[in-house]
Amino acid sequence: MSASAEAHRLLPRSLLVTVTVVLCAIVLVPTLYIVLASLNSDAGVASGEFWPSSFSPASYRRIWTTADLATGLGNSILVCALVAVASALLGTMTAYVLVRYTFTGRVTVLRGLVGLQSIPGTLMLLPVFVLFSSAGNYLGLTVVGTRWGLFLAYLTFALPFSTWVMVTYLRGLPRELEEAGRVDGASTLRILFRIIVPLSLPAIVVSGIFAFLLGWNDVLFASVLTRPESRTAAVALSTFGATQEGGAIPVYSQVMAAALISAAPVVILYLAFQRYLVGGLTAGGVK
């Protein structure tokens, strides 16, 4: 039975259409309002206009100087892209070892990967800050306020999840493929990068995207571990919105424009890799 037939069997067609329309409206109506508000004037948005009396892209031009969004976007894209690549690569190699080899402590490591997902990031903020601050005293390294310090913080939280995603996926790959490679004289690294990685591309993309989003959506760690020259887009947007609250006319239109610009890289990322997402998210769910 197809998915559509199964859905019609569970719900009457009229109810299914109603639920679909309501869910789409919940997502699309706020998005439409943000787009319209970004094309409206600040005074028009403040007065409660839903449909602008006049359309103007002025907010998209002003936001680059009023919020310094360019620096934040550049830092976010650089740090989050590096975190996504590093966590996907390290997670794949770590998962391959955990799945294909038996050694003392293997089960403990697997359980630890699951347990780490239950620790709130807010509990780790102070320990991470103290650790990074101490590195400057004991190692002579400046970590707090740098992009690579933020990279290390995000990688710490992204790597366990990426590893677990890859563990789940690699368990479903047949060992015969690797055995055939060994018969042909391939080394372990050659098998990993020439056989396992191409077959695991959907899961690698999913783990990379989730690692990217972890850093892109973060405000807490980026607020503490960065300086003005290294702050991310989320911090720039949060700071800009907070500093404009006491103005005579809040710059709602510019805030909406900045929000859309900040969301654009994530939307592009999903559109570019959408064909891998379904396979990667559902992989390993059925054994």
Side-chain angles (χ1 to χ4, degrees):
M1 183 179 293
S2 64
S4 59
E6 182 69 15
H8 290 156
R9 186 180 69 86
L10 294 175
L11 292 174
R13 183 177 181 84
S14 58
L15 182 59
L16 183 63
V17 172
T18 303
V19 171
T20 303
V21 171
V22 170
L23 292 177
C24 290
I26 292 174
V27 176
L28 295 178
V29 171
T31 304
L32 176 62
Y33 175 75
I34 294 175
V35 173
L36 293 176
S38 67
L39 296 173
N40 200 351
S41 63
D42 295 325
V45 178
S47 64
E49 290 182 357
F50 181 83
W51 191 265
S53 55
S54 61
F55 291 87
S56 173
S59 295
Y60 289 93
R61 295 192 299 266
R62 296 172 185 163
I63 197 64
W64 301 105
T65 55
T66 56
D68 193 21
L69 197 59
T71 302
L73 284 174
N75 291 330
S76 290
I77 292 174
L78 176 62
V79 173
C80 295
L82 291 177
V83 170
V85 173
S87 64
L89 181 61
L90 294 176
T92 302
M93 293 189 291
T94 305
Y96 180 75
V97 173
L98 292 173
V99 171
R100 292 294 188 253
Y101 295 92
T102 302
F103 53 89
T104 303
R106 171 178 171 273
V107 176
T108 303
V109 173
L110 290 172
R111 290 174 178 172
L113 291 175
V114 179
L116 287 173
Q117 305 304 313
S118 62
I119 301 177
T122 52
L123 294 181
M124 300 300 297
L125 179 60
L126 182 58
V128 169
F129 179 77
V130 172
L131 179 64
F132 284 5
S133 300
S134 301
N137 298 328
Y138 295 104
L139 302 177
L141 298 174
T142 302
V143 182
V144 176
T146 62
R147 297 178 185 87
W148 73 274
L150 197 61
F151 164 80
L152 290 177
Y154 290 158
L155 184 61
T156 302
F157 296 100
L159 189 55
F161 178 80
S162 297
T163 303
W164 186 252
V165 169
M166 296 309 304
V167 165
T168 305
Y169 190 89
L170 293 180
R171 282 174 174 171
L173 292 182
R175 294 177 179 266
E176 289 77 7
L177 297 173
E178 301 169 46
E179 294 173 357
R182 296 189 187 279
V183 170
D184 293 337
S187 63
T188 301
L189 286 178
R190 188 175 181 86
I191 290 173
L192 177 62
F193 289 103
R194 298 297 297 272
I195 297 177
I196 300 300
V197 169
L199 292 175
S200 306
L201 195 57
I204 292 174
V205 170
V206 169
S207 64
I209 288 178
F210 273 91
F212 185 93
L213 291 178
L214 183 145
W216 192 270
N217 296 328
D218 172 70
V219 178
L220 184 63
F221 282 86
S223 300
V224 176
L225 299 178
T226 60
R227 295 191 178 98
E229 65 273 11
S230 60
R231 65 183 182 182
T232 61
V235 177
L237 185 59
S238 176
T239 303
F240 175 66
T243 55
Q244 300 299 324
E245 288 182 356
I249 299 179
V251 288
Y252 291 137
S253 178
Q254 296 183 47
V255 172
M256 298 297 182
L260 288 176
I261 293 173
S262 299
V266 177
V267 174
I268 294 173
L269 187 67
Y270 270 101
L271 293 177
F273 295 103
Q274 62 178 337
R275 65 192 184 99
Y276 296 104
L277 289 176
V278 175
L281 287 172
T282 58
V286 180
K287 297 295 183 186

